[in-house]
Structures are given as C-alpha cells and as structure tokens.
Short mmCIF file of all heavy atoms in Angstrom, two decimals:
data_model
loop_
_atom_site.label_atom_id
_atom_site.label_comp_id
_atom_site.label_asym_id
_atom_site.label_seq_id
_atom_site.Cartn_x
_atom_site.Cartn_y
_atom_site.Cartn_z
N MET G 1 0.81 -1.19 0.01
CA MET G 1 0.00 -0.01 0.00
C MET G 1 0.86 1.25 -0.01
O MET G 1 0.58 2.21 -0.76
CB MET G 1 -0.92 0.01 1.23
CG MET G 1 -1.90 1.12 1.26
SD MET G 1 -3.17 1.11 -0.01
CE MET G 1 -4.33 -0.11 0.64
N ILE G 2 1.87 1.29 0.81
CA ILE G 2 2.73 2.49 0.92
C ILE G 2 3.39 2.83 -0.40
O ILE G 2 3.45 4.00 -0.86
CB ILE G 2 3.73 2.37 2.06
CG1 ILE G 2 2.98 2.43 3.39
CG2 ILE G 2 4.83 3.40 1.98
CD1 ILE G 2 3.81 2.13 4.61
N ILE G 3 3.87 1.82 -1.08
CA ILE G 3 4.51 2.03 -2.38
C ILE G 3 3.54 2.62 -3.39
O ILE G 3 3.87 3.52 -4.15
CB ILE G 3 5.08 0.68 -2.96
CG1 ILE G 3 6.29 0.28 -2.10
CG2 ILE G 3 5.46 0.83 -4.41
CD1 ILE G 3 6.78 -1.12 -2.42
N ARG G 4 2.30 2.19 -3.33
CA ARG G 4 1.28 2.68 -4.30
C ARG G 4 0.82 4.12 -3.98
O ARG G 4 0.51 4.87 -4.93
CB ARG G 4 0.06 1.79 -4.32
CG ARG G 4 0.20 0.58 -5.19
CD ARG G 4 -1.09 -0.07 -5.50
NE ARG G 4 -2.09 -0.11 -4.47
CZ ARG G 4 -2.17 -0.99 -3.47
NH1 ARG G 4 -1.28 -1.93 -3.38
NH2 ARG G 4 -3.12 -0.94 -2.57
N ILE G 5 0.70 4.47 -2.70
CA ILE G 5 0.04 5.74 -2.44
C ILE G 5 0.94 6.90 -1.99
O ILE G 5 0.53 8.04 -2.08
CB ILE G 5 -1.11 5.55 -1.36
CG1 ILE G 5 -0.48 5.13 0.01
CG2 ILE G 5 -2.12 4.60 -1.84
CD1 ILE G 5 -1.53 5.03 1.12
N GLN G 6 2.08 6.60 -1.53
CA GLN G 6 2.96 7.65 -1.02
C GLN G 6 3.59 8.47 -2.15
O GLN G 6 4.06 7.93 -3.11
CB GLN G 6 4.05 7.09 -0.12
CG GLN G 6 4.91 8.16 0.51
CD GLN G 6 5.93 7.56 1.48
OE1 GLN G 6 5.63 6.54 2.13
NE2 GLN G 6 7.10 8.16 1.57
N THR G 7 3.61 9.80 -1.96
CA THR G 7 4.30 10.70 -2.88
C THR G 7 5.27 11.52 -2.07
O THR G 7 5.17 11.67 -0.84
CB THR G 7 3.27 11.68 -3.56
OG1 THR G 7 2.64 12.45 -2.54
CG2 THR G 7 2.26 10.92 -4.35
N PRO G 8 6.28 12.08 -2.69
CA PRO G 8 7.36 12.78 -1.98
C PRO G 8 6.85 14.04 -1.19
O PRO G 8 7.41 14.35 -0.16
CB PRO G 8 8.32 13.26 -3.07
CG PRO G 8 8.06 12.33 -4.22
CD PRO G 8 6.65 11.94 -4.12
N THR G 9 5.82 14.65 -1.66
CA THR G 9 5.35 15.85 -0.94
C THR G 9 4.29 15.61 0.05
O THR G 9 3.83 16.52 0.76
CB THR G 9 4.75 16.83 -2.02
OG1 THR G 9 3.66 16.21 -2.68
CG2 THR G 9 5.80 17.27 -3.03
N MET G 10 3.95 14.41 0.28
CA MET G 10 2.88 14.03 1.22
C MET G 10 3.31 14.11 2.66
O MET G 10 4.47 13.83 2.99
CB MET G 10 2.44 12.58 0.90
CG MET G 10 1.19 12.11 1.53
SD MET G 10 0.82 10.37 1.06
CE MET G 10 0.07 10.68 -0.56
N THR G 11 2.38 14.53 3.54
CA THR G 11 2.69 14.56 4.97
C THR G 11 2.20 13.24 5.61
O THR G 11 1.46 12.49 4.97
CB THR G 11 1.95 15.72 5.69
OG1 THR G 11 0.54 15.51 5.59
CG2 THR G 11 2.33 17.08 5.06
N ALA G 12 2.61 13.03 6.82
CA ALA G 12 2.22 11.82 7.56
C ALA G 12 0.70 11.78 7.72
O ALA G 12 0.09 10.71 7.59
CB ALA G 12 2.92 11.73 8.91
N GLY G 13 0.09 12.89 7.97
CA GLY G 13 -1.35 12.96 8.13
C GLY G 13 -2.11 12.60 6.84
O GLY G 13 -3.09 11.90 6.86
N GLN G 14 -1.54 13.10 5.74
CA GLN G 14 -2.15 12.79 4.44
C GLN G 14 -2.00 11.27 4.15
O GLN G 14 -2.94 10.64 3.66
CB GLN G 14 -1.49 13.63 3.36
CG GLN G 14 -1.86 15.10 3.40
CD GLN G 14 -1.00 15.90 2.45
OE1 GLN G 14 0.17 15.57 2.18
NE2 GLN G 14 -1.56 16.99 1.93
N LEU G 15 -0.83 10.77 4.38
CA LEU G 15 -0.62 9.33 4.19
C LEU G 15 -1.55 8.46 4.97
O LEU G 15 -2.16 7.55 4.49
CB LEU G 15 0.87 8.94 4.50
CG LEU G 15 1.22 7.48 4.32
CD1 LEU G 15 1.08 7.03 2.88
CD2 LEU G 15 2.58 7.21 4.86
N HIS G 16 -1.69 8.86 6.26
CA HIS G 16 -2.59 8.13 7.15
C HIS G 16 -4.02 8.15 6.58
O HIS G 16 -4.67 7.11 6.47
CB HIS G 16 -2.56 8.77 8.56
CG HIS G 16 -3.61 8.16 9.44
ND1 HIS G 16 -4.76 8.90 9.75
CD2 HIS G 16 -3.71 6.99 10.12
CE1 HIS G 16 -5.51 8.17 10.55
NE2 HIS G 16 -4.90 7.02 10.79
N ASP G 17 -4.51 9.34 6.23
CA ASP G 17 -5.88 9.48 5.74
C ASP G 17 -6.10 8.68 4.46
O ASP G 17 -7.11 7.98 4.28
CB ASP G 17 -6.21 10.96 5.50
CG ASP G 17 -6.28 11.77 6.79
OD1 ASP G 17 -6.41 11.15 7.91
OD2 ASP G 17 -6.21 13.01 6.70
N ILE G 18 -5.15 8.77 3.52
CA ILE G 18 -5.30 8.07 2.24
C ILE G 18 -5.19 6.54 2.47
O ILE G 18 -5.94 5.79 1.85
CB ILE G 18 -4.21 8.58 1.26
CG1 ILE G 18 -4.57 10.01 0.85
CG2 ILE G 18 -4.21 7.70 0.01
CD1 ILE G 18 -3.53 10.71 0.01
N TYR G 19 -4.30 6.10 3.31
CA TYR G 19 -4.15 4.70 3.62
C TYR G 19 -5.47 4.13 4.13
O TYR G 19 -5.97 3.11 3.65
CB TYR G 19 -3.05 4.49 4.62
CG TYR G 19 -2.52 3.08 4.68
CD1 TYR G 19 -1.17 2.79 4.50
CD2 TYR G 19 -3.39 1.98 4.91
CE1 TYR G 19 -0.70 1.45 4.57
CE2 TYR G 19 -2.90 0.68 4.98
CZ TYR G 19 -1.55 0.45 4.81
OH TYR G 19 -1.08 -0.87 4.88
N ILE G 20 -6.03 4.78 5.13
CA ILE G 20 -7.29 4.33 5.72
C ILE G 20 -8.41 4.34 4.66
O ILE G 20 -9.13 3.36 4.54
CB ILE G 20 -7.69 5.24 6.91
CG1 ILE G 20 -6.66 5.19 8.03
CG2 ILE G 20 -9.10 4.92 7.44
CD1 ILE G 20 -6.50 3.85 8.66
N MET G 21 -8.47 5.38 3.86
CA MET G 21 -9.48 5.46 2.81
C MET G 21 -9.31 4.35 1.80
O MET G 21 -10.30 3.69 1.41
CB MET G 21 -9.42 6.81 2.12
CG MET G 21 -10.44 7.04 1.06
SD MET G 21 -10.26 8.58 0.19
CE MET G 21 -8.73 8.29 -0.71
N GLN G 22 -8.11 4.08 1.40
CA GLN G 22 -7.82 3.02 0.38
C GLN G 22 -8.18 1.64 0.90
O GLN G 22 -8.76 0.85 0.17
CB GLN G 22 -6.35 3.07 -0.01
CG GLN G 22 -5.96 4.27 -0.87
CD GLN G 22 -6.51 4.14 -2.27
OE1 GLN G 22 -6.46 3.09 -2.89
NE2 GLN G 22 -7.11 5.25 -2.71
N VAL G 23 -7.87 1.35 2.16
CA VAL G 23 -8.21 0.06 2.72
C VAL G 23 -9.72 -0.13 2.76
O VAL G 23 -10.25 -1.16 2.37
CB VAL G 23 -7.64 -0.10 4.15
CG1 VAL G 23 -8.19 -1.35 4.85
CG2 VAL G 23 -6.09 -0.20 4.08
N ARG G 24 -10.41 0.91 3.17
CA ARG G 24 -11.90 0.85 3.21
C ARG G 24 -12.49 0.69 1.81
O ARG G 24 -13.43 -0.06 1.63
CB ARG G 24 -12.45 2.07 3.92
CG ARG G 24 -12.19 2.02 5.42
CD ARG G 24 -12.80 3.16 6.14
NE ARG G 24 -12.58 2.97 7.57
CZ ARG G 24 -12.35 3.99 8.40
NH1 ARG G 24 -12.39 5.21 7.99
NH2 ARG G 24 -12.19 3.75 9.70
N GLU G 25 -11.95 1.43 0.85
CA GLU G 25 -12.46 1.28 -0.52
C GLU G 25 -12.20 -0.08 -1.08
O GLU G 25 -13.04 -0.67 -1.75
CB GLU G 25 -11.80 2.37 -1.42
CG GLU G 25 -12.35 3.73 -1.26
CD GLU G 25 -11.67 4.77 -2.12
OE1 GLU G 25 -10.85 4.41 -2.99
OE2 GLU G 25 -11.99 5.98 -1.95
N GLU G 26 -10.96 -0.62 -0.85
CA GLU G 26 -10.66 -1.97 -1.32
C GLU G 26 -11.66 -3.00 -0.70
O GLU G 26 -12.14 -3.89 -1.38
CB GLU G 26 -9.26 -2.35 -0.92
CG GLU G 26 -8.17 -1.64 -1.70
CD GLU G 26 -7.84 -2.29 -3.00
OE1 GLU G 26 -8.21 -3.45 -3.25
OE2 GLU G 26 -7.16 -1.62 -3.83
N PHE G 27 -11.91 -2.82 0.59
CA PHE G 27 -12.82 -3.72 1.29
C PHE G 27 -14.24 -3.63 0.68
O PHE G 27 -14.86 -4.65 0.37
CB PHE G 27 -12.86 -3.41 2.79
CG PHE G 27 -13.76 -4.33 3.54
CD1 PHE G 27 -13.40 -5.63 3.85
CD2 PHE G 27 -14.99 -3.86 3.98
CE1 PHE G 27 -14.24 -6.49 4.53
CE2 PHE G 27 -15.84 -4.73 4.67
CZ PHE G 27 -15.45 -6.00 4.96
N GLU G 28 -14.72 -2.41 0.53
CA GLU G 28 -16.05 -2.21 -0.03
C GLU G 28 -16.16 -2.76 -1.45
O GLU G 28 -17.18 -3.28 -1.82
CB GLU G 28 -16.45 -0.74 0.01
CG GLU G 28 -16.69 -0.20 1.44
CD GLU G 28 -16.87 1.25 1.50
OE1 GLU G 28 -16.92 1.93 0.44
OE2 GLU G 28 -16.92 1.78 2.65
N HIS G 29 -15.10 -2.65 -2.17
CA HIS G 29 -15.07 -3.19 -3.53
C HIS G 29 -15.21 -4.72 -3.55
O HIS G 29 -15.73 -5.28 -4.51
CB HIS G 29 -13.76 -2.75 -4.25
CG HIS G 29 -13.68 -3.24 -5.65
ND1 HIS G 29 -14.44 -2.68 -6.67
CD2 HIS G 29 -12.89 -4.17 -6.20
CE1 HIS G 29 -14.09 -3.30 -7.78
NE2 HIS G 29 -13.18 -4.19 -7.55
N ASN G 30 -14.76 -5.35 -2.48
CA ASN G 30 -14.78 -6.83 -2.43
C ASN G 30 -15.79 -7.40 -1.47
O ASN G 30 -15.85 -8.63 -1.24
CB ASN G 30 -13.36 -7.34 -2.03
CG ASN G 30 -12.37 -7.10 -3.14
OD1 ASN G 30 -12.49 -7.74 -4.19
ND2 ASN G 30 -11.45 -6.19 -2.94
N ILE G 31 -16.65 -6.55 -0.92
CA ILE G 31 -17.58 -7.01 0.05
C ILE G 31 -18.58 -8.10 -0.40
O ILE G 31 -19.00 -8.96 0.35
CB ILE G 31 -18.32 -5.84 0.75
CG1 ILE G 31 -18.82 -6.24 2.10
CG2 ILE G 31 -19.41 -5.31 -0.14
CD1 ILE G 31 -19.24 -5.08 2.98
N SER G 32 -18.89 -8.04 -1.70
CA SER G 32 -19.82 -9.02 -2.23
C SER G 32 -19.26 -10.43 -2.31
O SER G 32 -20.02 -11.40 -2.44
CB SER G 32 -20.29 -8.58 -3.64
OG SER G 32 -19.18 -8.60 -4.52
N GLN G 33 -17.97 -10.57 -2.17
CA GLN G 33 -17.33 -11.88 -2.23
C GLN G 33 -17.71 -12.76 -1.04
O GLN G 33 -17.52 -13.98 -1.06
CB GLN G 33 -15.82 -11.76 -2.33
CG GLN G 33 -15.37 -10.96 -3.52
CD GLN G 33 -16.01 -11.37 -4.82
OE1 GLN G 33 -16.00 -12.53 -5.19
NE2 GLN G 33 -16.55 -10.42 -5.58
N GLN G 34 -18.26 -12.18 0.02
CA GLN G 34 -18.56 -12.89 1.21
C GLN G 34 -19.61 -13.99 0.97
O GLN G 34 -19.68 -15.00 1.67
CB GLN G 34 -19.05 -11.97 2.34
CG GLN G 34 -20.36 -11.30 2.09
CD GLN G 34 -20.73 -10.38 3.22
OE1 GLN G 34 -20.83 -10.81 4.36
NE2 GLN G 34 -20.93 -9.11 2.92
N ILE G 35 -20.42 -13.85 -0.09
CA ILE G 35 -21.45 -14.85 -0.31
C ILE G 35 -20.88 -16.17 -0.91
O ILE G 35 -21.54 -17.16 -0.91
CB ILE G 35 -22.60 -14.35 -1.23
CG1 ILE G 35 -22.07 -13.94 -2.60
CG2 ILE G 35 -23.29 -13.16 -0.59
CD1 ILE G 35 -23.14 -13.54 -3.62
N TYR G 36 -19.62 -16.11 -1.32
CA TYR G 36 -19.02 -17.28 -1.97
C TYR G 36 -18.04 -18.02 -1.03
O TYR G 36 -17.57 -19.05 -1.40
CB TYR G 36 -18.27 -16.88 -3.25
CG TYR G 36 -19.16 -16.26 -4.27
CD1 TYR G 36 -19.07 -14.91 -4.60
CD2 TYR G 36 -20.09 -17.04 -4.98
CE1 TYR G 36 -19.90 -14.34 -5.54
CE2 TYR G 36 -20.94 -16.45 -5.91
CZ TYR G 36 -20.81 -15.15 -6.22
OH TYR G 36 -21.65 -14.56 -7.13
N VAL G 37 -17.74 -17.42 0.11
CA VAL G 37 -16.75 -18.03 1.02
C VAL G 37 -17.40 -18.38 2.34
O VAL G 37 -18.50 -17.93 2.64
CB VAL G 37 -15.53 -17.10 1.21
CG1 VAL G 37 -14.81 -16.84 -0.09
CG2 VAL G 37 -15.90 -15.80 1.89
N SER G 38 -16.70 -19.14 3.15
CA SER G 38 -17.29 -19.56 4.42
C SER G 38 -17.36 -18.36 5.40
O SER G 38 -16.63 -17.34 5.25
CB SER G 38 -16.38 -20.61 5.04
OG SER G 38 -15.18 -20.11 5.49
N GLU G 39 -18.24 -18.50 6.34
CA GLU G 39 -18.35 -17.46 7.36
C GLU G 39 -17.06 -17.30 8.15
O GLU G 39 -16.70 -16.15 8.52
CB GLU G 39 -19.51 -17.79 8.36
CG GLU G 39 -20.87 -17.64 7.74
CD GLU G 39 -21.98 -18.01 8.71
OE1 GLU G 39 -21.79 -17.78 9.90
OE2 GLU G 39 -23.02 -18.44 8.24
N ASP G 40 -16.36 -18.39 8.43
CA ASP G 40 -15.10 -18.29 9.14
C ASP G 40 -14.05 -17.46 8.37
O ASP G 40 -13.40 -16.60 8.94
CB ASP G 40 -14.51 -19.68 9.42
CG ASP G 40 -15.32 -20.44 10.47
OD1 ASP G 40 -16.04 -19.78 11.27
OD2 ASP G 40 -15.22 -21.65 10.51
N LEU G 41 -13.96 -17.75 7.07
CA LEU G 41 -13.02 -16.97 6.24
C LEU G 41 -13.40 -15.50 6.22
O LEU G 41 -12.54 -14.61 6.38
CB LEU G 41 -12.91 -17.54 4.84
CG LEU G 41 -12.02 -16.70 3.90
CD1 LEU G 41 -10.60 -16.60 4.42
CD2 LEU G 41 -12.03 -17.30 2.52
N TRP G 42 -14.68 -15.23 6.07
CA TRP G 42 -15.12 -13.82 6.04
C TRP G 42 -14.78 -13.15 7.35
O TRP G 42 -14.40 -11.95 7.32
CB TRP G 42 -16.59 -13.74 5.68
CG TRP G 42 -16.98 -12.30 5.49
CD1 TRP G 42 -17.76 -11.54 6.23
CD2 TRP G 42 -16.52 -11.46 4.40
NE1 TRP G 42 -17.82 -10.25 5.74
CE2 TRP G 42 -17.09 -10.19 4.59
CE3 TRP G 42 -15.69 -11.65 3.31
CZ2 TRP G 42 -16.84 -9.12 3.72
CZ3 TRP G 42 -15.46 -10.60 2.45
CH2 TRP G 42 -16.01 -9.35 2.68
N ARG G 43 -14.97 -13.80 8.45
CA ARG G 43 -14.59 -13.22 9.78
C ARG G 43 -13.07 -12.92 9.78
O ARG G 43 -12.63 -11.86 10.31
CB ARG G 43 -14.95 -14.15 10.88
CG ARG G 43 -16.39 -14.01 11.31
CD ARG G 43 -16.70 -14.69 12.65
NE ARG G 43 -16.68 -16.12 12.57
CZ ARG G 43 -17.76 -16.86 12.23
NH1 ARG G 43 -18.88 -16.29 11.94
NH2 ARG G 43 -17.67 -18.20 12.21
N TYR G 44 -12.26 -13.80 9.23
CA TYR G 44 -10.80 -13.52 9.15
C TYR G 44 -10.54 -12.30 8.29
O TYR G 44 -9.68 -11.47 8.62
CB TYR G 44 -10.07 -14.74 8.55
CG TYR G 44 -9.56 -15.71 9.53
CD1 TYR G 44 -10.27 -16.88 9.86
CD2 TYR G 44 -8.35 -15.52 10.19
CE1 TYR G 44 -9.81 -17.78 10.78
CE2 TYR G 44 -7.84 -16.43 11.14
CZ TYR G 44 -8.60 -17.56 11.39
OH TYR G 44 -8.11 -18.50 12.29
#
C-alpha cells in the first residue's frame, strides 16, 4: 500500500488518511465476495 500511495510531498497525516481510505475502498469493492466463502473466512 505505501509504495502505491505515497508521494514525496505528502505529509504523515495525508498518508494516514489516504491509507485508511484506500483500505476501506478496497474492502467495499470486495464485500460481495462474502457470499461465496465460508463465514469463518469472512470473519478472518
């Protein structure tokens, strides 16, 4: 994640905010996959 999102002019606060946002977006993008996997895996 850091390699993809970090830029030289970015501050730590910006990196933090973008990292959190990217993780949540990635998760939301894949949330529908839960119907194809076990409940245990989805909890993981």
Side-chain angles (χ1 to χ4, degrees):
M1 186 68 79
I2 288 173
I3 290 171
R4 279 197 323 276
I5 65 174
Q6 184 175 326
T7 62
T9 60
M10 190 179 280
T11 66
Q14 291 170 327
L15 177 64
H16 171 257
D17 293 343
I18 291 172
Y19 197 125
I20 297 297
M21 182 184 69
Q22 289 288 314
V23 170
R24 287 184 177 145
E25 283 179 7
E26 289 275 345
F27 180 76
E28 289 171 8
H29 181 71
N30 290 292
I31 201 164
S32 64
Q33 303 310 310
Q34 68 182 302
I35 62 175
Y36 299 109
V37 299
S38 71
E39 288 180 30
D40 289 338
L41 176 58
W42 187 249
R43 278 193 286 275
Y44 268 97

